[in-house]
Amino acid sequence: MQLIKENISKFKIQDYLGKNFTCDCGREHTVEIENVIIENGAINKMPEVLKLLHYNKVFLVADTNTYKAAGEQVENVIIGNGFELKKHVYKRDDDLVPDEVTIGEFIINYYNDADVIVAVGSGVLNDLCKFMSYKLNTPYIIVATAPSMDGYASIGSALSIENLKTTVSGEVPKAIIGDVDVLKDAPLDMIRAGFGDMVGKYSAINDWKLGKMVNDEYYCDYVSGMVMHSLKKCMETAEGLENRENEAIRNLMEGLVLTGIAMSFTGNSRPASGSEHHLSHFVEMMYLFDKKQAPPHGVKVGFNTIVMNYIRQRLSESNPDINEVLKKASSFNKDKWTDDVKRLFRQAAPGVIHLNENEGINSYDKRVERVKRIIDNWEEFASLLKEVPHHEEIREILKRIGAPISLKELNVDKETIINGLVYAKEVRNRYTVLQLAWDLGLLDDIATEMESSFFNE
Ligand SMILES: [Zn+2]
Ligand SMILES: [Zn+2]
């Protein structure tokens, strides 16, 4: 089947599943998820889903919170319809961490005869069961308890191994069950985080287009359109989130799942993650080094979208001069850069330095090549940067749903964020607006300027 951009608004999530699509981008797109049900009362459809996928013996995994929120109901529906079920409910005083102990506990309690793992939860339980499904070669189904992040449909699993956050291989779920009656009762902070993760797509998609324009990176107009369409729907009903309105919650959950599907389509996280995520990873790393608790992922991503859109606007209004930019490029001080990376990234510094040298990110010749292309086509670049909503618009919508819009509310210190503006681009080799600002020799100035004005508001 051919994907045609004009039809994006007609496609529902289910239409994308279990098919191979040809696309104008030259690639085939496919996702291995077979079933997605996002509606009120979706849990009641569990027996139907199990029958359809030919599963009879269920290993149900939850923690005490998610068991209360939905697990018990899932268990009753499954047992009540004649399926066999064994369960493990994690008991923790603090949040469940997807670490070695949690994995061991999974194995000890595992139901050997199970032909499917049913995870009831959000981020952590999804990551855990995604990984266990991959390791045990047993499919899994996720019953979501919060619309809090876009990882439900993605492949990678974020675990905490030897106290370090690590992304490892995982399996996509065979089915995603999003019961709106359950999702809307999730803690408001988790709903706000999910919305922040979604708002971040403005920034991620803009960075993806930038990567195409600067480095001829692979880009799919259909996939970016599909993410933007679901984001638009989320924005239209955003104000209903605070009151837990059905449509707002459903649109948010659909957007988060669809973004995961978009990542499967492209085989990377370009449709979902750009500079706003890199800055978030940077803050997480710094907080982990200092053993401090960082704000939830999506909350940071939402706030960072205000920041990145401000930088986009600032750049779009600049008028780069090739001679000045080249002068800046030749004055790049590699020793200072290396010292800064070692100081900030600590035990992770060798990896950062290696990535940079391997890819020649800071190499003068490559930078000059990029700069020439950018300045030769500056009009086009400036108008791309203006495609995102104004930073005040993002701030306003986040404010209306009660999400943090200042560093104080976010509870992140200014120094970490300013360091992040300059050095977050080092965490991934991926072209973003931060790299553009650096290429143009403006990143340091913008960071200094934001330190004294933008972040004081
Ligand atoms: Zn495509
Ligand atoms: Zn995210």
Side-chain angles (χ1 to χ4, degrees):
M1 221 176 139
Q2 172 85 17
L3 287 172
I4 299 163
K5 213 175 168 198
E6 287 66 43
N7 295 341
I8 284 179
S9 59
K10 290 181 205 145
F11 263 62
K12 302 210 169 6
I13 289 180
Q14 198 66 29
D15 298 328
Y16 288 116
L17 311 179
K19 292 185 193 92
N20 276 318
F21 294 99
T22 52
C23 181
D24 282 344
C25 72
R27 289 197 188 177
E28 278 218 342
H29 297 309
T30 185
V31 60
E32 282 180 35
I33 301 165
E34 295 188 28
N35 221 318
V36 173
I37 305 177
I38 300 171
E39 60 189 38
N40 295 80
I43 286 175
N44 296 321
K45 297 206 168 155
M46 268 309 275
E48 233 174 88
V49 173
L50 292 174
K51 240 176 258 167
L52 198 76
L53 299 170
H54 307 287
Y55 302 137
N56 297 303
K57 294 172 183 171
V58 174
F59 181 53
L60 185 145
V61 187
D63 65 26
T64 39
N65 292 325
T66 64
Y67 186 73
K68 227 186 293 162
E72 191 175 5
Q73 192 194 344
V74 174
E75 180 183 14
N76 290 337
V77 168
I78 292 176
I79 293 179
N81 282 273
F83 297 90
E84 283 177 45
L85 180 144
K86 285 187 183 158
K87 67 169 185 271
H88 181 61
V89 180
Y90 284 96
K91 293 180 189 67
R92 294 285 188 274
D93 290 331
D94 297 317
D95 291 341
L96 183 68
V97 180
D99 60 6
E100 293 91 336
V101 172
T102 298
I103 291 168
E105 209 177 309
F106 188 106
I107 298 285
I108 290 165
N109 293 285
Y110 189 59
Y111 174 20
N112 280 356
D113 293 337
D115 48 25
V116 65
I117 299 163
V118 171
V120 182
S122 57
V124 172
L125 278 147
N126 186 53
D127 278 321
L128 172 71
C129 292
K130 190 184 283 292
F131 174 69
M132 295 314 296
S133 164
Y134 172 74
K135 279 285 168 187
L136 299 170
N137 202 14
T138 304
Y140 91 103
I141 293 173
I142 174 81
V143 179
T145 52
S148 51
M149 44 93 223
D150 64 16
Y152 287 116
S154 71
I155 305 168
S157 157
L159 299 181
S160 175
I161 303 298
E162 290 178 12
N163 286 319
L164 268 184
K165 263 203 159 172
T166 318
T167 304
V168 296
S169 295
E171 203 62 60
V172 292
K174 285 284 169 198
I176 300 172
I177 310 295
D179 191 328
V180 176
D181 292 328
V182 171
L183 297 172
K184 69 183 189 184
D185 285 336
L188 268 181
D189 279 347
M190 294 183 90
I191 296 173
R192 288 176 185 133
F195 183 74
D197 208 9
M198 226 26 234
V199 161
K201 307 318 172 208
Y202 282 123
S203 171
I205 296 285
N206 200 261
D207 280 338
W208 191 16
K209 291 180 180 177
L210 200 55
K212 176 193 174 244
M213 277 170 70
V214 176
N215 287 331
D216 291 320
E217 202 184 307
Y218 164 74
Y219 167 80
C220 173
D221 207 34
Y222 186 92
V223 170
S224 101
M226 131 192 185
V227 172
M228 290 312 285
H229 176 71
S230 65
L231 171 54
K232 189 168 153 261
K233 279 172 73 181
C234 285
M235 291 297 276
E236 280 164 7
T237 51
E239 285 180 49
L241 289 173
E242 279 254 276
N243 295 324
R244 306 168 183 279
E245 285 169 20
N246 286 323
E247 200 191 355
I249 298 287
R250 198 185 58 233
N251 284 345
L252 176 56
M253 185 65 186
E254 284 185 354
L256 293 168
V257 170
L258 205 87
T259 311
I261 294 173
M263 286 191 265
S264 277
F265 277 4
T266 58
N268 63 24
S269 62
R270 263 299 195 187
S273 153
S275 49
E276 74 300 327
H277 272 75
H278 298 169
L279 182 55
S280 169
H281 297 325
F282 180 88
V283 172
E284 260 158 53
M285 252 174 145
M286 298 303 125
Y287 274 50
L288 202 67
F289 290 152
D290 295 334
K291 302 204 167 23
K292 288 192 290 186
Q293 179 83 34
H297 170 79
V299 169
K300 288 198 294 289
V301 169
F303 177 80
N304 293 346
T305 306
I306 308 175
V307 176
M308 294 307 156
N309 283 7
Y310 174 82
I311 296 177
R312 289 188 177 94
Q313 189 199 339
R314 181 65 186 65
L315 286 178
S316 75
E317 289 163 357
S318 71
N319 198 1
D321 172 78
I322 185 83
N323 294 320
E324 266 176 54
V325 174
L326 290 180
K327 212 161 71 193
K328 281 251 169 100
S330 60
S331 70
F332 171 65
N333 186 337
K334 196 178 167 197
D335 291 339
K336 182 185 178 295
W337 180 88
T338 310
D339 286 347
D340 284 348
V341 167
K342 282 183 183 160
R343 178 173 50 86
L344 290 170
F345 289 93
R346 301 185 218 183
Q347 60 259 49
V352 172
I353 292 168
H354 179 78
L355 175 77
N356 198 287
E357 281 180 354
N358 242 8
E359 309 286 340
I361 303 175
N362 288 339
S363 107
Y364 176 77
D365 293 345
K366 286 193 178 176
R367 183 171 174 181
V368 170
E369 224 176 278
R370 290 194 300 266
V371 162
K372 282 188 177 150
R373 189 169 190 172
I374 293 162
I375 296 185
D376 280 349
N377 301 285
W378 183 244
E379 296 267 295
E380 252 178 86
F381 277 90
S383 68
L384 171 67
L385 295 167
K386 282 185 203 141
E387 273 183 19
V388 295
H390 195 273
H391 60 94
E392 286 297 347
E393 196 183 315
I394 303 289
R395 193 192 291 269
E396 193 50 41
I397 190 86
L398 289 174
K399 185 179 168 187
R400 250 179 281 160
I401 69 154
I405 53 162
S406 68
L407 283 178
K408 205 171 153 220
E409 288 169 6
L410 189 68
N411 201 15
V412 169
D413 61 285
K414 194 155 66 166
E415 195 191 344
T416 302
I417 283 279
I418 298 298
N419 284 334
L421 290 184
V422 182
Y423 286 98
K425 64 183 172 57
E426 319 296 349
V427 302
R428 296 277 188 284
N429 177 27
R430 191 171 268 189
Y431 207 87
T432 69
V433 68
L434 291 175
Q435 190 73 38
L436 176 70
W438 185 80
D439 275 348
L440 295 175
L442 295 170
L443 188 55
D444 285 330
D445 295 350
I446 292 178
T448 310
E449 171 195 310
M450 287 175 86
E451 186 174 8
S452 56
S453 61
F454 185 83
F455 289 116
N456 278 345
E457 280 167 19

